[in-house]
Structures are given as structure tokens and as C-alpha cells.
Amino acid sequence: MPFLPVQRHRTFLRGLVVAVLGGAFLATAEAFGGASTPYPQRLLFWVTLMISGGLLGHLCSSVVRQFVDVDDRPWLAVALLTFAITGPVAVVVWGATGLFSDQTLLPISSLTGLLWPVALVTAGALRRAAL
């Protein structure tokens, strides 16, 4: 089934809303040890990260849609997108976290510790956005 421009626009907007709400939730929940950071800063941090990941997800979904029928196999599409997005987004999270909290990059060794949390948040956001 072709993916019409109107559908693509709706999918993009739905993903944007999910990213903003997800970022607000993560900021409010003080996710991943952010309790010491003031709420407005946490909100800006998380919403920015979620929108960045959402934009990458939107781009990647264009490729995945060519190989997987998202309507017939949504979980396969979520798995493929999570796999494709996690690495690049983990690097963004690694850089942003260090620069945001300490105004310097974190040690590169901390990057591996971000992979599972990023994959979990990515999979949850993708599923909520329903691709």
C-alpha cells in the first residue's frame, strides 16, 4: 500500500507529539538520575533529545517502509527501527548529557552504558507513535 503525503504528514505530527510528551514525562519523572537538575532545564534537555531521536526515526522509517509492511508487521518495524536508531541516538545522548550536565564530554566508556536505556526509550516511543 503506498504511503500518501497526507499520511506521512500525520505520522510526522503524531511522532512529534509523542516525542514532546515523552520528553515531558521523562523530565517530570526525573528519569535516569536527573533530580538535581531544575525542572525547566530537564524539560528542555529531554524534549530536545526526544525530538532529535524522533526526527531520526522519521527518516529511518522511510527506508524501513520500503521493506516491511508496517500495517501487517508493526513489531518487526519497531524492532528494525530501534536497532537502526539506538546507536546514533546513544551518541547524541552521550554528547548532550556531558555537555548539559558538566559542560564537557563524558568518557567514551560511558557510551556503552547508554545503549540499553536508549534502546528502551526508543522502542517505547516508536510503539507509541505507531510508526
Side-chain angles (χ1 to χ4, degrees):
M1 167 184 349
F3 199 58
L4 304 174
V6 172
Q7 291 171 310
R8 188 146 182 81
H9 182 69
R10 285 186 193 146
T11 301
F12 177 78
L13 289 177
R14 182 174 47 241
L16 184 62
V17 168
V18 168
V20 170
L21 292 176
F25 172 78
L26 290 167
T28 303
E30 300 174 349
F32 305 108
S36 63
T37 305
Y39 182 75
Q41 289 176 287
R42 281 196 321 266
L43 186 63
L44 177 65
F45 174 80
W46 279 112
V47 169
T48 302
L49 280 179
M50 293 296 289
I51 289 174
S52 299
L55 291 174
L56 179 60
H58 186 70
L59 292 173
C60 290
S61 71
S62 300
V63 175
V64 169
R65 285 182 185 282
Q66 295 176 6
F67 301 101
V68 176
D69 185 343
V70 176
D71 295 326
D72 288 343
R73 303 178 84 185
W75 288 106
L76 177 59
V78 167
L80 289 173
L81 283 170
T82 299
F83 181 76
I85 295 169
T86 294
V89 171
V91 172
V92 170
V93 170
W94 168 78
T97 300
L99 293 173
F100 181 77
S101 62
D102 301 326
Q103 287 74 44
T104 185
L105 292 176
L106 298 173
I108 194 75
S109 60
S110 65
L111 183 57
T112 57
L114 294 171
L115 290 175
W116 282 114
V118 168
L120 183 65
V121 170
T122 299
L126 285 169
R127 190 59 200 130
R128 294 302 330 143
L131 302 170

